[in-house]
Amino acid sequence: MLTMIVGEIANFVAYIFAPAVLVTPLGALSIIVSAVLAHFLLDEKLQKMGVLGCILCMVGSTVIVLHAPEESTPNSVLEIWGLATQPAFLLYTASAIAVVLVLMLHFVPRYGQTNILVYIGICSIIGSLTVMSIKAIGIAIKLTIEGTNQAGYFQTWVFAMVAVTCIITQLNYLNMALDTFNTAVVSPIYYAMFTSLTILASAIMFKDWSGQSASNIVSVLCGFITVLSGTAVLHSTREPDAPPVTDLYSPLSPKLSWRIQGNGELWKQKDEDGLSPDFVTIFKQDYFS
């Protein structure tokens, strides 16, 4: 638990100093570390395809780091607020909220238990807004530590409330997805959707790729696709979860079934293992209404 808290704090700090298009894809490195530690500490065998997946993740991450865009740090929360209220990002935010509401109100009750994309879609969309608000809060804290107090601006607290709300919603539906579906399937799909939408949101809000050459943009996208491929390959080597045991006890009494004959007789069939069915006439009448 302590190491996880330290890791999340480090991840939070990373968003202050680097663009989300760089930080978010590098989250795949935690998957590699988990797989390697599980091999040595938990005796979970890392297969050859798993090693290939780790190599793909490392190669893709290296490409992303080498070609990631540089980011200029805003000088105040007001500047970040201006980026968040630009028409393009407001359109993205409104579209994201609308899609999430449709998924929650219409698709979750009907398809939540059968379609894995419903829960993961909510997590990923909300997650992209979480990263943007977390990045804004991190920059505000950094500027405050440097001597420029940002706590006096109401925009700082708006970003904080948005972050808390998004984090709670995201974790809630992520837990639902993990409880309903296999973790080996949920993890790569969630990583792919969450990272893709976060990169899109960051590109719209912070204009990460503004002024970048086409070769750098293509290189980052290729590195991201490589990381996605490595993540999928690594998770495909995991053993599936054991199915839950639902039938712990067999019924003590024999099963009874009913059937209606063509002549109007109602029969009760007694099913017992190894015995022929017994038929007992309950009643007989000429017509049924």
Side-chain angles (χ1 to χ4, degrees), residues 153-233:
Y153 300 105
F154 80 92
Q155 290 89 343
T156 303
W157 302 105
V158 171
F159 284 126
M161 289 187 293
V162 171
V164 172
T165 303
C166 290
I167 289 174
I168 294 175
T169 305
Q170 182 182 357
L171 292 179
N172 180 42
Y173 282 94
L174 180 58
N175 286 332
M176 289 183 181
L178 294 174
D179 289 341
T180 307
F181 303 99
N182 194 318
T183 306
V185 179
V186 172
S187 296
I189 297 177
Y190 172 64
Y191 173 80
M193 294 184 64
F194 168 68
T195 306
S196 300
L197 290 173
T198 300
I199 291 175
L200 176 62
S202 180
I204 295 174
M205 180 174 175
F206 293 98
K207 298 179 174 60
D208 292 328
W209 286 333
S210 178
Q212 298 293 314
S213 63
S215 60
N216 280 343
I217 296 176
V218 173
S219 298
V220 171
L221 293 177
C222 290
F224 176 52
I225 294 174
T226 304
V227 172
L228 289 182
S229 303
T231 304
V233 170

Side-chain angles (χ1 to χ4, degrees), residues 33-56:
V33 176
S34 299
V36 174
L37 290 180
H39 176 77
F40 291 103
L41 300 180
L42 303 179
D43 294 329
E44 295 183 4
K45 185 177 180 181
L46 186 60
Q47 303 175 3
K48 293 182 179 179
M49 292 300 295
V51 175
L52 176 61
C54 293
I55 295 175
L56 288 175

Side-chain angles (χ1 to χ4, degrees), residues 20 24 89 92-93 96 100 121-135 166 170 190 193-202 205:
T24 308
F89 189 74
Y92 174 83
T93 303
V100 166
I122 296 175
C123 298
S124 303
I125 296 172
I126 294 296
S128 65
L129 299 178
T130 302
V131 171
M132 298 302 102
S133 56
I134 286 294
K135 187 174 180 64
C166 290
Q170 182 182 357
Y190 172 64
M193 294 184 64
F194 168 68
T195 306
S196 300
L197 290 173
T198 300
I199 291 175
L200 176 62
S202 180
M205 180 174 175

